[in-house]
Amino acid sequence: MKQSCNPPSNGLVLEIGSGDNPNPRSNVLVDRFLGSDNRERGGDLVVDRPFVVADAHFLPFKDGAFAYAICSHILEHMDDPEQFARELQRTSAAGYIQSPSEIAERLFHWSFHRWYVNLVGDTLVLHPKEPAEPFGELFDYLYEYNPAYYFFQRSMPDLFWVEREWHGDNLQVEVHETSPLPLRDPVALRELVRPRRTPLALIGLFFAALGARSLRTHARRLLRKAVGRSYV
């Protein structure tokens, strides 16, 4: 998956909720929980650089302490997303947020997430999760063990992931009561499902998907470290 995460070559980089897979560029890691319950992570907590235990709603850093902040799959957990956004802008000059989209959330239904997340223009719009879990862990197993499904999901990143790289004070996060998804608008739906890759790129992605799904978790972790990426 191509990410729009572009930390600068100079300056301190903060990563919040790095878990078992910190970004290679991050200088300081922050996590709120150090317990042994790793059901929300892919493995054990990695502490291989300066590490701070803190609540991301109230970060223990000076104003403008960091050049960049990385927050991958964190926003959907926050008690107060708008306060979290204010803290990011207070402590960092720029940053990157990635979350599962509302569509992914409804398919996979991670019960420990609090919010559905959508990107409307440049604004991250959240609304409360529903308790229903219609598919159980079906899509988790499809993603992990079925290369054809893995290929499909990777070929439509805008459908399954929300990404927002922000600079200065242009990080907008809003909490609404209902979903902004236009699921009954034919024009909007056609744009939502429009292929984002050329046929040649899809062929390359197909073979990459086959290769990635042939590797187990430990091997993929080593590959990510070797190529300097958070996701492989």
Side-chain angles (χ1 to χ4, degrees):
M1 173 184 172
K2 184 178 180 181
Q3 296 175 283
S4 57
C5 179
N6 300 290
S9 55
N10 297 313
L12 289 175
V13 174
L14 172 69
E15 183 165 1
I16 299 172
S18 52
D20 66 306
N21 185 28
N23 189 285
R25 176 64 181 86
S26 301
N27 302 111
V28 178
L29 309 179
V30 167
D31 209 302
R32 186 176 180 181
F33 302 108
L34 299 180
S36 58
D37 182 1
N38 283 324
R39 66 196 176 98
E40 299 182 30
R41 298 179 173 127
D44 292 334
L45 189 68
V46 171
V47 184
D48 60 355
R49 64 202 80 173
F51 189 98
V52 178
V53 178
D55 181 347
H57 297 88
F58 306 99
L59 292 167
F61 305 115
K62 294 180 179 180
D63 294 359
F66 297 94
Y68 200 86
I70 298 173
C71 310
S72 183
H73 291 237
I74 297 301
L75 182 63
E76 65 274 14
H77 293 269
M78 291 292 110
D79 297 332
D80 187 340
E82 293 168 317
Q83 168 63 20
F84 173 54
R86 287 191 290 270
E87 278 295 270
L88 289 179
Q89 292 179 104
R90 181 185 67 80
T91 56
S92 303
Y96 169 80
I97 292 176
Q98 184 191 83
S99 292
S101 70
E102 180 177 349
I103 290 171
E105 194 76 57
R106 288 184 180 278
L107 292 177
F108 289 85
H109 196 89
W110 296 283
S111 60
F112 37 78
H113 293 169
R114 297 175 60 92
W115 306 96
Y116 295 118
V117 182
N118 289 284
L119 186 63
V120 180
D122 289 331
T123 301
L124 290 162
V125 177
L126 290 74
H127 68 285
K129 283 278 299 288
E130 298 168 355
E133 193 170 352
F135 298 112
E137 295 185 352
L138 171 63
F139 284 88
D140 294 276
Y141 278 77
L142 280 170
Y143 187 78
E144 182 67 20
Y145 297 108
N146 188 311
Y149 179 80
Y150 179 82
F151 163 71
F152 161 69
Q153 184 162 326
R154 291 281 168 161
S155 73
M156 299 288 290
D158 294 349
L159 205 60
F160 293 97
W161 289 279
V162 169
E163 293 187 291
R164 176 76 166 90
E165 187 174 56
W166 55 274
H167 300 271
D169 60 356
N170 73 345
L171 175 58
Q172 294 90 34
V173 174
E174 298 178 359
V175 175
H176 293 189
E177 289 297 321
T178 58
S179 173
L181 283 179
L183 296 181
R184 289 178 172 78
D185 180 343
V187 174
L189 285 171
R190 282 197 295 272
E191 175 59 24
L192 197 64
V193 302
R194 177 178 58 83
R196 299 301 199 265
R197 298 172 184 267
T198 66
L200 186 60
L202 285 172
I203 292 171
L205 178 63
F206 176 74
F207 287 105
L210 288 177
R213 291 300 91 177
S214 69
L215 301 174
R216 294 296 88 200
T217 301
H218 178 68
R220 290 203 300 274
R221 186 176 294 118
L222 293 176
L223 181 59
R224 287 196 299 264
K225 186 175 181 180
V227 300
R229 287 176 55 88
S230 296
Y231 292 92
V232 172

